[in-house]
Amino acid sequence: MNLARRAWTLFEPIHAIVYFAPEAPEHFKAAGLRGGWMGYFASRSAPMGAVSAGLVTAVFRNFQPAMVERAIPDAWRYSSPELALTARSALADAALRRLWGDAVDSDEVRDAGVAAMAVARGLRGGGRPLYTATAALAEPDAPHLKLWHACTLLREHRFDGHTVALTAHGLDGLESIVTALAAGTGLDPATMRAFRGWTEEEWDAGAERLRDRGILDPAGDLTAEGQALRTAVEDMTDHLAIDVWEAMDEPSRERLFAAMRRLARLLEHPDGLHYPNPIGVIRPV
């Protein structure tokens, strides 16, 4: 596994705890947001401002547009980008304190936060809307939130690059999910349809388009061409994210990876991250 993909298995779980923590409803409700999906769409898009449903659909890419429209722009009538960001930060704080315990104040978390932030600040933002907007936010002072923010920057940078790779290889939002599941994520189509808002009819139509292109076989599995396509997408995603990791000296990089691996593993919990999951991240490597 190359450096970029190894790093993804480490920073993604730390960022993603805000999507799985049971504290989410409390904090989103306090911000005026109505329901978990409104909280998700509002808090993740908030660095870009009070954006439209169309922009969120385009940037987030694989959600059914009507699902986004049920949350945005209403979120900005009930709340604001500033309140949504405050809620997300409070949610991260509560979840990490619960799952990391005393480690939130440890030297390991402090050092990892400083090192990860240095990596995140070295990323290039051109063509990466989520990363660039999130990078403009104030950097948290608390060590565990500094680390979480750094992981969020790393994650959104990779996600923006993944969107570029999917687009370059001719996969729309729905097709990207169908092919990812066919490649083997451990999740079933019904679960992913529920998490992304696509109807069964829309899903079947997307699969039919992929069969017509020779990417899926009649059983819904990837053909040799489909496997090559998914490999090319992931390779491009890694290529677009690998330079900062290659630029680090190996001892510093492996020290950061070891700390993030230990901390990410602590987040696997019945009231935390679980595997497999709808965002597709695997256990820390």
Side-chain angles (χ1 to χ4, degrees):
M1 184 178 291
N2 65 47
L3 289 175
R5 204 165 305 184
R6 281 180 62 203
W8 168 67
T9 74
L10 305 177
F11 61 69
E12 181 86 2
I14 296 173
H15 160 76
I17 191 59
V18 295
Y19 305 141
F20 297 93
E23 292 91 347
E26 168 194 353
H27 292 287
F28 289 144
K29 183 178 179 180
L33 298 165
R34 303 184 177 188
W37 283 112
M38 181 178 284
Y40 166 76
F41 287 120
S43 64
R44 190 176 172 210
S45 68
M48 298 186 291
V51 291
S52 67
L55 182 59
V56 173
T57 300
V59 174
F60 287 22
R61 199 173 193 280
N62 55 28
F63 288 90
Q64 211 276 357
M67 184 177 183
V68 179
E69 290 164 4
R70 287 194 290 271
I72 304 293
D74 281 354
W76 312 131
R77 291 199 297 116
Y78 304 132
S79 186
S80 68
E82 293 77 17
L83 288 173
L85 287 168
T86 298
R88 186 167 74 154
S89 181
L91 167 56
D93 180 48
L96 293 176
R97 286 186 182 279
R98 173 171 54 84
L99 293 167
W100 284 351
D102 292 341
V104 296
D105 297 316
S106 67
D107 291 343
E108 180 180 45
V109 166
R110 184 197 64 225
D111 293 346
V114 170
M117 188 61 71
V119 175
R121 292 301 187 195
L123 298 169
R124 289 176 290 184
R128 301 185 191 252
L130 279 170
Y131 166 76
T132 301
T134 307
L137 300 176
E139 187 176 310
D141 293 324
H144 64 298
L145 291 180
K146 186 186 296 288
L147 177 56
W148 178 82
H149 184 60
C151 289
T152 298
L153 292 173
L154 291 163
R155 192 269 188 161
E156 298 296 31
H157 182 272
R158 183 181 175 91
F159 178 86
D160 286 334
H162 191 54
T163 295
V164 170
L166 290 165
T167 302
H169 288 88
L171 293 173
D172 66 23
L174 174 57
E175 293 164 353
S176 68
I177 307 171
V178 174
T179 53
L181 261 63
T185 64
L187 292 174
D188 61 278
T191 298
M192 284 305 297
R193 286 199 303 271
F195 272 89
R196 294 295 182 265
W198 299 99
T199 66
E200 188 170 357
E201 293 74 18
E202 289 167 335
W203 188 277
D204 290 344
E208 187 62 30
R209 292 195 300 272
L210 293 166
R211 280 191 286 270
D212 290 344
R213 292 168 58 188
I215 294 170
L216 293 183
D217 65 20
D221 297 321
L222 290 176
T223 62
E225 182 180 350
Q227 291 172 354
L229 178 66
R230 283 303 314 190
T231 297
V233 166
E234 300 305 328
D235 286 349
M236 178 179 283
T237 301
D238 290 340
H239 174 73
L240 293 171
I242 202 168
D243 55 348
V244 289
W245 302 111
E246 290 180 333
M248 287 185 78
D249 67 89
E250 184 175 0
S252 297
R253 184 181 63 235
E254 293 306 316
R255 186 163 53 250
L256 174 59
F257 278 10
M260 292 172 67
R261 184 181 305 112
R262 191 185 79 79
L263 292 164
R265 285 173 175 168
L266 292 175
L267 301 178
E268 184 173 357
H269 187 275
D271 286 329
L273 197 61
H274 50 85
Y275 302 91
N277 53 70
I279 60 174
V281 69
I282 63 175
R283 285 184 170 88
V285 175

